[in-house]
Amino acid sequence: MIEKLRRIVNEIAYAQDLAKLSALHRSLVPFLTVASSLYDLALSLRRCLYNVGFFSKSRLPVPVISVGNVTWGGNGKTPMVEFIALLLAEYGISPLILTRGYAGGDEVKMLARHLLGRPVRIGVGANRAATAAHFFNHYGYIGSQNCLLKGIWPNKKAGDHHNLCKIGAVVLDDGMQHWSLHRDVEIVMINGLMPWGNQQLLPLGPLREPLSALQRADVAVVHHATLVSEEDCEHIKIMIQGKGVKRSLPIFFTSMSPSCFLEIGNVNSMVSLDAVNNAILLCICAIGSADAFVQGVKKMGALYVDRLDFSDHYFFQARDIELIRMKLRELKVKFESEPIVVTTEKDYYRDQEILRLLNPYKVLVLCSELQVLPYGEHNEDNFKKLLKELLEVKLSSSRKE
């Protein structure tokens, strides 16, 4: 029942015309509107209390890069956090990732696997400042907030890793609404497939804050850009810059690039993407942007792709496994071929045992990496350069205060 209600609310949030929704959907709109107004009131009160100093912001002794969004899931926050953490490690800085660890820590487990062997720490907890303090006490940290200005972040790859045991920077996962922690660079992620929905605040719409919150951002990143037209990308850009949200905001475009599959039961071996050529596939996922996942899979040369979607961070149950089995049996009869299940890393790491119950059907886990796309004058090198420049400017200002 709860899962069905979540799906209905999501459909309302991204509906362009409420008149085209079912009677059940429309009957919920008045209640959601009232709830949205109360959320707006609470948001305004919280913002006011921070502005007048009733709530204080903690400042960490190292640079803080926040990666967040103004809408609910599917914006590519976690892949961007990983991208930045790897970039920092590449240049000789040991970063600390601070995350809340939603829903059993599926994203944390995925990050831990991807960053294994790298000088990256992952701190989990709702109180990010307290979590950071624990890690600073345990591992130490490098200098002060001016550490990057003193040459720890060079222009070329660093060969000297003598300071990697100490934390040199913090990457704040889902940090845009975490106002209690000061940040030096604010990166906002935007889902190119579903940028703003109906432009209403939660729960009537997908917005966690009004679009005016983009004025706080230093960089905007439009994710899943390869799955939408160039016209749509330009429309998002105009929405941000051309209509006055923040005309000077640099905008980059990213996508997820599939690298390989892992097979349930033998996840230490990599399976080529060619494994799904001309195959019958059933995509199952419980992530924020199921459309992006399915559209990406459809580009891999499968004969037919079907799907079963669940709400973000949902834990699969025994009844769901039976539903998936039923769908697989239907596909097998229809195509006279053994179908393959394809899921995401997040879904796999949320519960690494439940999908084994689909045996003897083959279950593949899609692994992907974030790529910064060349778009206009912007590319991956520009993004890295801008990040370095923003930190230097912010930290120079901090030193003068």
Side-chain angles (χ1 to χ4, degrees):
M1 181 62 183
I2 294 178
E3 179 68 13
K4 182 178 180 180
L5 181 60
R6 286 176 178 171
R7 187 175 291 111
I8 291 174
V9 170
N10 186 73
E11 289 168 355
I12 293 172
Y14 287 102
Q16 299 301 313
D17 186 356
L18 292 179
K20 294 181 179 180
L21 294 173
S22 70
L24 173 60
H25 287 67
R26 293 197 302 273
S27 70
L28 291 175
V29 170
F31 300 99
L32 296 175
T33 301
V34 172
S36 183
S37 298
L38 294 175
Y39 176 81
D40 188 18
L41 180 63
L43 198 65
S44 299
L45 177 60
R46 181 169 176 254
R47 187 185 303 113
C48 180
L49 291 174
Y50 270 102
N51 289 339
V52 301
F54 185 84
F55 292 147
S56 60
K57 290 187 176 183
S58 300
R59 184 185 288 271
L60 301 183
V62 299
V64 176
I65 302 170
S66 169
V67 180
N69 58 16
V70 293
T71 61
W72 60 40
N75 301 272
K77 294 189 304 296
T78 303
M80 177 56 75
V81 165
E82 179 184 333
F83 181 90
I84 293 173
L86 288 171
L87 175 63
L88 292 171
E90 177 185 354
Y91 285 101
I93 298 172
S94 179
L96 167 64
I97 297 173
L98 293 178
T99 178
R100 289 196 61 165
Y102 292 106
D106 48 12
E107 293 165 345
V108 173
K109 294 172 185 174
M110 185 175 70
L111 283 171
R113 179 183 174 91
H114 288 186
L115 299 171
L116 185 65
R118 307 298 181 100
V120 180
R121 320 291 181 187
I122 303 176
V124 181
N127 188 330
R128 317 287 180 89
T131 302
H134 169 76
F135 276 80
F136 292 149
N137 289 335
H138 191 272
Y139 296 101
Y141 58 89
I142 300 175
S144 68
Q145 286 219 3
N146 301 315
C147 62
L148 296 186
L149 300 178
K150 295 176 181 176
I152 295 175
W153 189 335
N155 292 321
K156 295 182 180 180
K157 294 182 181 180
D160 181 7
H161 292 262
H162 69 281
N163 273 321
L164 283 186
C165 60
K166 295 182 179 180
I167 295 166
V170 160
V171 185
L172 189 60
D173 182 24
D174 197 14
M176 194 161 187
Q177 287 76 40
H178 193 76
W179 297 347
S180 63
L181 193 63
H182 174 84
R183 68 288 313 276
D184 298 288
V185 175
E186 187 88 70
I187 299 174
V188 60
M189 303 296 295
I190 298 163
N191 186 342
L193 281 172
M194 305 178 294
W196 328 113
N198 58 16
Q199 299 190 32
Q200 300 296 319
L201 290 173
L202 295 171
L204 178 61
L207 294 182
R208 301 165 74 177
E209 291 188 75
L211 289 179
S212 58
L214 292 173
Q215 295 173 4
R216 302 200 310 269
D218 297 298
V219 182
V221 178
V222 180
H223 195 46
H224 301 311
T226 55
L227 300 179
V228 296
S229 67
E230 188 170 338
E231 181 181 356
D232 288 334
C233 289
E234 280 299 312
H235 179 74
I236 296 171
K237 189 174 180 180
I238 292 170
M239 179 72 178
I240 298 171
Q241 294 179 332
K243 294 189 177 180
V245 176
K246 191 173 183 179
R247 294 183 183 275
S248 61
L249 186 63
I251 302 175
F252 289 82
F253 295 83
T254 59
S255 69
M256 297 306 295
S257 175
S259 55
C260 67
F261 290 110
L262 305 178
E263 186 172 359
I264 296 276
N266 189 20
V267 294
N268 291 320
S269 65
M270 295 185 293
V271 178
S272 169
L273 297 176
D274 294 338
V276 299
N277 281 349
N278 298 314
I280 308 302
L281 305 182
L282 175 61
C283 292
I284 60 170
C285 66
I287 59 175
S289 186
D291 284 344
F293 168 58
V294 175
Q295 286 190 38
V297 171
K298 284 182 176 180
K299 291 185 173 185
M300 295 181 185
L303 180 65
Y304 180 81
V305 178
D306 208 332
R307 63 192 288 179
L308 284 174
D309 303 341
F310 301 83
S311 60
D312 197 12
H313 297 292
Y314 176 78
F315 277 87
F316 296 125
Q317 308 294 320
R319 63 178 179 273
D320 302 315
I321 296 299
E322 185 51 43
L323 175 64
I324 296 168
R325 281 185 167 279
M326 186 184 306
K327 191 71 174 176
L328 289 167
R329 288 193 292 267
E330 292 174 0
L331 290 172
K332 185 175 181 179
V333 170
K334 181 177 180 180
F335 292 96
E336 298 182 345
S337 177
E338 197 76 14
I340 299 173
V341 175
V342 178
T343 190
T344 72
E345 284 190 273
K346 277 182 61 174
D347 292 300
Y348 169 68
Y349 287 116
R350 192 176 307 123
D351 187 340
Q352 298 180 35
E353 297 301 321
I354 189 72
L355 294 177
R356 293 177 183 270
L357 299 179
L358 290 174
N359 187 59
Y361 291 104
K362 180 183 290 188
V363 181
L364 298 178
V365 180
L366 179 62
C367 301
S368 302
E369 299 173 351
L370 182 137
Q371 287 189 335
V372 180
L373 304 171
Y375 193 95
E377 71 279 13
H378 287 155
N379 55 37
E380 183 172 317
D381 288 339
N382 295 147
F383 179 82
K384 293 176 179 178
K385 182 180 179 181
L386 178 62
L387 186 61
K388 176 178 180 289
E389 291 173 350
L390 285 171
L391 281 168
E392 289 177 343
V393 170
K394 295 281 185 175
L395 297 177
S396 293
S397 301
S398 175
R399 183 169 56 177
K400 293 175 183 178
E401 291 177 356

